[in-house]
């Protein structure tokens, strides 16, 4: 199986190769096979990317928003036309099953292009009357933005970052995760085919050092990172040296609270989606499932039954419901957390081992019950198919325990009592919340975290704030009244 791109980078409207950069092997996680090799960006590639973005951005900022929007809509149409092939590539890059990549990854990226195409021409300033004089405001692009992606949703992340950036008149240099470098290159080629001027969306490959070189370049006005909290802290600090704008979409350890009046079937389904979709490699997952004691036994029984039926297998077979983890490193990390869960006394309900397929980085869907707040698996982000179920008695108690973490990305509540649902949501310290649903992230809704889970928001009208800045213009209508 091969998925070798035409070159490692896409810069200034064309594929670009520079073999002087260190090679990075792209591995298909279902087999361990090397499907492509790309080279890290050299200083020359980074320079070409930033220089062409800076050059192209000035002219792009001067175009009418409706003209920018037309190009983004065309690109969205191309993505939808090519979705089957793009989904297959996403599956090879990440190991996620086609059953998911066909409906979730590029389709959600295309939604972002359509949404921000529609939004851009409606973005206006305001007029502030001051009697004789007045102020008007303009919402202007920031300039050259850097996007840095994680490996779990590589193409969706590239779309979610580039769509608002481009729609509002910015350019973007994007660095995918070294683990999943393929999808963003396809997006760059599609943008050019759709009519985007060269240089406005460049893709350069590399590990953290390439990201760090981009973040500290004086031409860069904004950095948007999706990644872990430790990387976020480093990138935020580097961006701060140049007083750059940032969006930080970081990790989480989100609570999903199930009250005993909830529908067991719906709550179990949501908990499974919020822990096992993409083999658990989703930042907003509800990995601390708090279940009220009155419903606990029924909840665990149905959860064990339904989890044991999940179909693991060849990600390219559309019947497969769960694929492997993204890498050998991630497999080791997740197996380590499972071992720690056992050692610290959590009760294994189902799963708990590497899945017995011949190859690939598969882990069984795993559920631990009787988890306590102090256990490692209840405190640290695992990023694998490992659910921790904790018991609780009262609303007050569960709210305090749910908030007792430095993370604040997401939270969910299942209950038939809607007054309680809104009350609990009001008390939860999290940026993205659900009531009687979990992990649905439509592009219309702002997405992002509180506390250490991030700064800024992606998607929705909120993203406009993070890819533009206000210019305030005072207009003097009379003579200047100077005292000297
Ligand atoms: P990492 O934090 O390891 O890496 C994120 C990106 O930053 C990668 O492209 C990485 O490059 C790059 N990078 C690493 N060091 C630096 C640096 N010093 N300067 C600039 N860039 C750098 O995250 P993972 O890729 O392992 O992704 C998993 C994490 O992402 C999880 O913690 C998850 O919660 C989070 N995540 C958050 C989401 C959200 O929206 N809130 C969504 C999805 C994931 P390289 O990998 O090549 O080293």
């Amino acid at each position: 199986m091969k998925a070798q791109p035409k070159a490692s980078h896409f810069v200034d409207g064309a594929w670009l190769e520079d073999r002087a950069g260190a090679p990075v092997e792209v591995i298909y996680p279902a087999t361990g096979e090397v499907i492509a090799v790309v080279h890290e960006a050299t200083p020359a590639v980074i320079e070409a990317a930033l220089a062409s973005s800076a050059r192209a951005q000035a002219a792009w900022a001067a175009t009418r928003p409706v003209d920018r929007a037309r190009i983004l809509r065309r690109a969205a149409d191309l993505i939808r036309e090519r979705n089957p092939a793009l989904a297959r590539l996403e599956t090879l890059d990440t190991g996620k099953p086609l059953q998911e990549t066909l409906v979730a990854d590029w389709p959600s990226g295309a939604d972002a292009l359509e949404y921000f195409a529609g939004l851009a021409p409606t973005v206006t300033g305001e007029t502030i009357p001051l009697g004789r004089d007045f102020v008007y405001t303009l919402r202007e692009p920031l300039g050259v933005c850097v996007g840095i992606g994680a490996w779990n949703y590589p193409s969706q992340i590239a779309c979610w970052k580039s769509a608002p950036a481009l729609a509002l008149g910015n350019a973007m240099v994007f660095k995918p995760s070294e683990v999943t470098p393929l999808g963003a290159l396809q997006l760059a080629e599609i943008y050019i085919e759709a009519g985007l001027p060269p240089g406005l969306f460049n893709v350069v490959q590399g590990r953290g050092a390439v990201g760090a070189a981009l973040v500290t370049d004086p031409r860069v006005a904004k950095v948007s990172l999706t990644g872990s909290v430790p990387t976020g802290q480093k990138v935020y600090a580097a961006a701060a040296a140049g007083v750059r704008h940032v969006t930080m979409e970081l990790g989480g350890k989100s609570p999903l609270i199930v009250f005993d009046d909830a529908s067991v079937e719906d709550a179990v389904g949501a908990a499974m989606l919020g822990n096992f979709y993409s083999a658990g490699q989703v930042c907003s997952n509800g990995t601390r499932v708090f279940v009220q004691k009155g419903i606990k036994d029924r909840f665990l029984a149905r959860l064990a039954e339904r989890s044991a039926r999940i179909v693991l297998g060849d990600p390219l077979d559309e019947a497969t419901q769960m694929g492997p983890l993204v890498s050998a490193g991630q497999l080791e990390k997740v197996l380590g957390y499972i071992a720690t869960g056992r050692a610290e006394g959590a009760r294994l309900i189902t799963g708990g081992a590497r899945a017995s397929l011949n190859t690939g980085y598969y882990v069984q869907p795993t559920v631990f019950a009787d988890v306590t707040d102090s256990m490692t698996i209840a405190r640290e982000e695992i990023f694998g198919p490992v659910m921790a179920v904790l018991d609780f008695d009262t609303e007050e108690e569960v709210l305090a325990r749910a908030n007792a973490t430095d993370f604040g990305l997401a939270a969910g509540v299942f209950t038939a009592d809607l007054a309680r649902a809104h009350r609990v949501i009001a008390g939860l310290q999290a940026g993205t919340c659900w009531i009687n649903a979990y992990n649905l992230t439509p592009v219309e809704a702002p997405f992002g975290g509180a506390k250490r889970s991030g700064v800024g928001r992606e998607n929705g009208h909120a993203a406009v704030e993070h890819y533009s800045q206000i210019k305030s213009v005072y207009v003097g209508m009379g003579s200047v009244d100077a005292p000297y």
Side-chain angles (χ1 to χ4, degrees):
M1 206 125 38
K2 286 285 168 232
Q4 184 63 38
K6 289 177 202 158
S8 298
H9 320 285
F10 198 99
V11 172
D12 205 11
W15 293 92
L16 178 65
E17 192 55 271
D18 183 350
R19 286 176 196 283
V24 178
E25 291 187 334
V26 187
I27 290 166
Y28 179 40
T31 60
E33 193 185 337
V34 176
I35 54 168
V37 177
V38 296
H39 292 267
E40 284 202 73
T42 56
V45 169
I46 294 171
E47 176 56 30
L50 288 168
S52 67
S53 280
R55 198 174 54 240
Q57 193 269 329
W60 182 241
T63 56
R64 281 181 68 196
V66 284
D67 294 331
R68 295 184 213 138
R70 196 173 310 113
I71 293 169
L72 289 182
R73 275 199 315 274
R74 258 189 238 130
D77 289 345
L78 291 172
I79 290 173
R80 293 201 191 283
E81 270 166 46
R82 295 174 196 172
N83 187 49
L86 291 170
R88 188 172 185 281
L89 186 68
E90 193 79 346
T91 287
L92 294 178
D93 213 6
T94 61
K96 296 193 293 178
L98 262 187
Q99 194 183 94
E100 292 185 13
T101 54
L102 280 167
V103 297
D105 295 75
W106 283 99
S108 145
D111 283 355
L113 271 59
E114 285 160 349
Y115 179 82
F116 287 106
L119 190 60
T122 72
V123 173
T124 56
E126 58 179 342
T127 312
I128 303 159
L130 298 168
R132 183 191 63 177
D133 296 349
F134 64 98
V135 167
Y136 67 90
T137 64
L138 297 168
R139 200 162 259 290
E140 298 187 333
L142 299 173
V144 176
C145 303
V146 164
I148 300 179
W151 41 255
N152 60 340
Y153 280 83
S155 300
Q156 182 198 71
I157 291 170
C159 290
W160 281 17
K161 293 191 190 307
S162 62
L166 295 172
L168 292 160
N170 303 282
M172 177 164 273
V173 178
F174 187 81
K175 188 202 83 66
S177 163
E178 113 220 15
V179 181
T180 53
L182 303 178
L185 291 168
Q186 300 302 311
L187 179 63
E189 197 174 38
I190 285 171
Y191 274 137
I192 292 295
E193 236 180 297
L196 190 73
L200 290 173
F201 183 70
N202 292 325
V203 176
V204 300
Q205 308 293 352
R207 300 183 172 87
V210 172
L214 292 171
V215 168
T216 50
D217 190 277
R219 285 163 289 194
V220 171
K222 189 220 158 92
V223 179
S224 177
L225 170 86
T226 298
S228 61
V229 173
T231 301
Q233 288 167 322
K234 276 191 250 166
V235 172
Y236 199 175
V243 197
R244 298 187 175 87
H245 297 252
V246 295
T247 300
M248 294 282 143
E249 294 289 352
L250 310 178
K253 190 74 196 176
S254 301
L256 170 54
I257 302 172
V258 183
F259 286 97
D260 56 17
D261 61 350
S263 149
V264 173
E265 227 31 47
D266 288 342
V268 165
M272 291 172 69
L273 280 170
N275 279 273
F276 300 147
Y277 203 74
S278 295
Q281 302 165 116
V282 181
C283 52
S284 50
N285 271 355
T287 46
R288 288 184 295 146
V289 182
F290 289 95
V291 181
Q292 204 165 17
K293 282 186 182 147
I295 204 178
K296 176 183 168 183
D297 291 344
R298 280 186 294 144
F299 183 91
L300 286 176
R302 272 306 277 157
L303 180 61
E305 224 175 291
R306 288 176 64 179
S307 299
R309 288 209 306 261
I310 292 176
V311 180
L312 273 76
D314 176 2
L316 292 170
D317 178 346
E318 280 187 50
T320 294
Q321 295 174 320
M322 193 190 282
L325 296 173
V326 77
S327 64
Q330 195 62 18
L331 173 71
E332 288 316 310
K333 184 178 157 197
V334 171
L335 291 176
Y337 275 113
I338 291 174
T340 305
R342 285 174 191 267
E344 292 182 0
R347 177 161 61 98
L348 187 66
I349 296 286
T350 186
R354 201 173 166 168
S356 55
L357 300 168
N358 288 333
T359 55
Y361 314 131
Y362 292 86
V363 172
Q364 295 169 341
T366 297
V367 178
F368 282 108
D370 302 340
V371 176
T372 60
D373 297 349
S374 60
M375 288 182 187
T376 307
I377 59 167
R379 287 186 291 106
E380 297 183 11
E381 185 180 47
I382 299 174
F383 233 56
V386 183
M387 187 193 309
V389 180
L390 305 92
D391 314 336
F392 74 95
D393 287 302
T394 68
E395 181 182 318
E396 198 183 16
E397 169 209 339
V398 78
L399 196 53
R401 289 170 59 198
N403 285 335
T405 168
D406 286 338
F407 294 112
L409 184 53
V413 177
F414 270 79
T415 176
D417 177 348
L418 281 183
R420 171 160 65 187
H422 293 297
R423 194 168 59 233
V424 171
I425 290 288
L428 283 166
Q429 297 162 351
T432 309
C433 296
W434 294 273
I435 293 174
N436 293 333
Y438 203 82
N439 255 1
L440 302 174
T441 54
V443 67
E444 295 89 338
F447 180 83
K451 294 156 85 176
R452 292 214 186 144
S453 290
V455 197
R457 291 294 177 269
E458 297 198 301
N459 293 341
H461 287 208
V464 172
E465 304 283 333
H466 300 288
Y467 282 100
S468 62
Q469 59 192 336
I470 289 176
K471 178 182 277 173
S472 178
V473 185
Y474 187 108
V475 182
M477 295 293 288
S479 52
V480 173
D481 185 15
Y484 26 73

